[in-house]
Amino acid sequence: FRQWGSKTPGHPEWGHTAGIETTTGPLGQGIAHAVGLALGAKMLGARFNRPGFEMFDYRVFGLCSDGDLMEGISSEAGSLAGRWGLGNLNFVYDDNHITIEGDTALAFNEDVGKRFEAFGWHVQHVDGHDRPAIRKALQAAVAETTRPSLVIARTHIAFGAPNAHDTSEAHGAPLGAEEVKLTKQNLGWPEEPTFLVPEEVRPVFAGPGRRGAEARAKWENLLASWKAKYPELADSLGDQLGRFVPEDLDRRVVEGMDKDAATRQHSQAVIQKIAAEVPCFVGGSADLEPSTLTWIKGAPPIGIDDGPARYEGRNLHFGIREHAMAAVVNGLALTEAFLPFGSGFLIFTDYCRPTIRLSALMGIRSTWVFTHDSVFLGEDGPTHQPIEQISSLRAVPGLRVWRPADGVETAMAWCWSVRDAKGPNLLALTRQKLPALKRPAGFDTRDVWRGGYIVRKESGVRPGVVIVATGSEVSLALAAADLLGPAANARVVSVPCFENFLEQDAAYRESVIPKGARRVSIEAGATWGWERLVGDQGLMIGLDRFGASAPLADIQKGLGFTPEAVAERIRGFLGA
């Protein structure tokens, strides 16, 4: 347990140990991810079940603790599960009244059962050491098909240990050899061997394996009959479970994206194109869709109306619950049958960051779509204007952060995300309108997938300065380069995705940003991290302060993000 390379790490890790459905280390995440897993089961059933052929009717079971139910994410997710009527979700609450600091009464005395009843759950109370009572409660939970179920099992930590029973010390520390000996004596258990599995226990554990094999064989026979009766549906199931994406999706999606518009508006158009080609593509917003523009047109919302069509849609209303939204998206991704996305304002990644981190830790195919990506959102002011968010998200291992500069980059970022099997992607999109970039001859749209490429070449043999930018600042860099004039011999580089660019071989990276060249970065956010591209001697034009509440033009002028202000700073840097 907890040793290097073992299959029993400190917390369950998805992809590390067989049988682990999701990584659940931070408390509350297991409940919230399970809501996504249960929703995925309902959505698969709505798409593929037919009378007499219940192909997807599985249930999701979980075990949770006092700590899980103290964390706010469990309430967010529990509320959603009740609203969506997830009758296939069943949790047992190990109610032992103990946390690390002591009795839960130190900070927690609410009636959890009433809370979950208010969410719309079916709630039962049992003695957690009474196995027949537990069995009966679980049977009742399974019989409840319209509401999620919570079985509150009152238990005692270190049960039977004379000196550790109901103590916080037993929460995270071994009992020790002497207390183990006393516990065995107290319970009438043989002291030797140290770890005893009685022979009468073995056939009990063999039973589930046998029943599971029988159930699998029965399901495979059902599947064969279903395929024979519904061959076209069977083809769709193959695409669903394979998360099929056309090889040339990007070539089709990028067409018509050479217009002036906010990248969130470009994203809206791309979402419709992807949805038409990729049925497993689903998603929603934390009550911000009119701003994030992520609605899949022509598809109904999921889980709202009662009846058989309740789970047939593709759009999710998460309410103002960014944390639970992220976990549900992860849960859908973990079904390995959907390509899900969640959306909101970039500043609110702070609310769902732990769950975004889990998507990267697991390497699952969640897509995060966050708009209003900089101080240029304007009047909402410093509380809503992201500064450090982009840089800090780039620091998450395995997360690819895209900040596209126009429609072409937006389309290619989206296509990379739905085609990329390596892990999660995050798109940071503008509120404000941006011009379509004019690129040099020979540009291939798939160059965007390299993470960085030349937008404007210098006129001489070597650039006098290389200006590197992302998102809305690429067009700003181009305008500043115009003001610098031919004498500066400026090259402009767009880096929509740091992670992809840094994965390119050294020869390509140097062909884009040559060694020895004077380098400038421009991004309307924290400068931290840009030294990886421009070096310690480069000029980093950014924002290491909070923003201000004002119209867009005033923000740009007041914070020095006009072409004239940027050009002047570059001239000073070059000594011109």
Side-chain angles (χ1 to χ4, degrees):
F1 179 50
R2 294 180 175 177
Q3 301 306 304
W4 183 272
S6 81
K7 294 297 183 183
T8 52
H11 294 93
E13 302 289 349
W14 180 81
H16 180 73
T17 307
I20 303 301
E21 303 291 348
T22 182
T23 297
T24 61
L27 291 173
Q29 292 286 355
I31 295 176
H33 280 65
V35 171
L37 285 163
L39 178 63
K42 288 289 190 182
M43 291 168 63
L44 286 170
R47 291 181 177 209
F48 298 105
N49 289 351
R50 294 296 181 270
F53 293 91
E54 296 298 316
M55 304 303 302
F56 297 98
D57 60 352
Y58 61 87
R59 309 181 72 82
V60 176
F61 288 85
L63 183 68
C64 64
S65 67
D66 295 294
D68 289 303
L69 297 181
M70 290 185 197
E71 291 285 3
I73 189 173
S74 65
S75 288
E76 289 186 21
S79 179
L80 279 170
R83 178 66 189 91
W84 291 336
L86 297 180
N88 61 336
L89 180 63
N90 305 269
F91 262 90
V92 176
Y93 166 27
D94 177 20
D95 180 22
N96 65 32
H97 289 205
I98 295 295
T99 61
I100 291 174
E101 292 186 356
D103 194 289
T104 53
L106 291 170
F108 187 64
N109 64 350
E110 67 194 55
D111 189 324
V112 171
K114 287 183 179 178
R115 169 159 51 110
F116 275 78
E117 285 176 355
F119 290 156
W121 287 53
H122 171 234
V123 177
Q124 302 174 79
H125 295 262
V126 298
D127 177 350
H129 301 287
D130 184 339
R131 283 170 291 175
I134 295 170
R135 186 184 302 274
K136 184 178 179 180
L138 289 173
Q139 289 170 342
V142 169
E144 171 59 57
T145 59
T146 61
R147 295 177 292 169
S149 289
L150 180 68
V151 177
I152 300 177
R154 178 68 175 99
T155 61
H156 298 274
I157 199 168
F159 181 82
N163 302 300
H165 184 92
D166 279 345
T167 65
S168 60
E169 288 76 14
H171 180 92
L175 293 177
E178 183 62 25
E179 187 70 7
V180 168
K181 178 181 177 180
L182 293 173
T183 302
K184 288 180 175 182
Q185 292 174 356
N186 191 33
L187 294 174
W189 193 262
E191 292 184 32
E192 297 294 338
T194 301
F195 190 83
L196 170 66
V197 179
E199 286 305 314
E200 58 266 35
V201 170
R202 296 184 188 277
V204 175
F205 275 78
R210 183 181 63 255
R211 292 193 298 272
E214 293 169 354
R216 182 185 180 103
K218 182 179 178 181
W219 188 84
E220 287 177 343
N221 289 334
L222 183 69
L223 177 63
S225 300
W226 176 82
K227 285 182 175 180
K229 188 167 183 178
Y230 303 103
E232 292 184 2
L233 204 57
D235 289 341
S236 298
L237 177 61
D239 288 347
Q240 181 87 40
L241 298 182
R243 292 186 282 189
F244 173 74
V245 176
E247 180 66 26
D248 64 343
L249 177 68
D250 60 296
R251 301 300 190 192
R252 284 177 275 172
V253 168
V254 79
E255 291 180 4
M257 300 303 294
D258 54 348
K259 298 179 176 64
D260 297 354
T263 52
R264 63 171 175 159
Q265 292 173 312
H266 290 305
S267 171
Q268 181 183 39
V270 172
I271 285 171
Q272 311 317 313
K273 293 180 179 182
I274 294 175
E277 300 279 353
V278 184
C280 65
F281 183 63
V282 299
S285 169
D287 196 56
L288 287 171
E289 189 283 321
S291 291
T292 62
L293 306 178
T294 47
W295 191 263
I296 297 175
K297 296 176 182 178
I302 292 167
I304 305 302
D305 298 324
D306 292 329
R310 187 173 192 181
Y311 306 103
E312 289 181 359
R314 302 174 71 174
N315 293 294
L316 285 156
H317 290 290
F318 292 105
I320 307 165
R321 301 184 185 92
E322 288 88 358
H323 206 170
M325 172 187 75
V328 170
V329 167
N330 280 355
L332 287 170
L334 285 162
T335 65
E336 299 187 312
F338 293 97
L339 292 171
F341 65 83
S343 69
F345 289 170
L346 184 61
I347 194 71
F348 299 139
T349 55
D350 289 348
Y351 280 161
C352 49
R353 184 184 181 89
T355 318
I356 292 174
R357 182 179 186 272
L358 282 179
S359 73
L361 194 157
M362 290 187 279
I364 58 177
R365 298 178 68 182
S366 298
T367 299
W368 312 109
V369 189
F370 291 100
T371 66
H372 296 58
D373 70 333
S374 74
V375 290
F376 300 146
L377 65 89
E379 289 86 349
D380 276 344
T383 60
H384 281 53
Q385 294 167 350
I387 300 296
E388 74 281 12
Q389 278 69 28
I390 288 288
S391 290
S392 63
L393 287 163
R394 286 180 182 140
V396 178
L399 177 66
R400 295 172 192 273
V401 179
W402 296 84
R403 191 161 181 254
D406 68 351
V408 170
E409 289 191 1
T410 303
M412 298 306 290
W414 258 119
C415 289
W416 173 276
S417 186
V418 297
R419 286 178 36 149
D420 177 26
K422 297 177 183 177
N425 289 264
L426 185 146
L427 279 65
L429 307 173
T430 68
R431 178 193 185 192
Q432 76 274 19
K433 185 177 181 179
L434 301 179
L437 302 181
K438 295 180 180 178
R439 297 172 171 87
F443 168 75
D444 186 324
T445 55
R446 292 191 176 184
D447 289 344
V448 174
W449 288 347
R450 291 185 168 225
Y453 64 98
I454 300 170
V455 177
R456 176 181 293 178
K457 294 181 178 180
E458 65 281 2
S459 56
V461 177
R462 286 183 58 83
V465 63
V466 178
I467 307 173
V468 189
T470 73
S472 52
E473 288 73 75
V474 176
S475 53
L476 173 61
L478 290 166
D482 285 340
L483 293 177
L484 290 171
N489 200 23
R491 174 186 292 187
V492 178
V493 171
S494 175
V495 183
C497 181
F498 267 47
E499 296 75 24
N500 279 22
F501 183 67
L502 293 173
E503 285 180 358
Q504 303 303 307
D505 59 54
Y508 177 77
R509 295 198 309 272
E510 188 174 347
S511 73
V512 176
I513 306 176
K515 288 183 178 179
R518 305 294 299 277
R519 304 175 184 184
V520 176
S521 67
I522 311 174
E523 187 168 63
T527 56
W528 181 86
W530 272 101
E531 66 279 356
R532 290 182 293 172
L533 297 188
V534 301
D536 294 338
Q537 303 304 311
L539 171 63
M540 296 183 287
I541 299 175
L543 201 61
D544 294 312
R545 53 152 285 183
F546 293 115
S549 180
L552 169 61
D554 292 339
I555 292 274
Q556 291 170 321
K557 183 177 180 180
L559 296 177
F561 285 98
T562 63
E564 293 78 11
V566 169
E568 187 60 30
R569 288 197 62 182
I570 295 175
R571 285 193 192 97
F573 170 66
L574 297 176

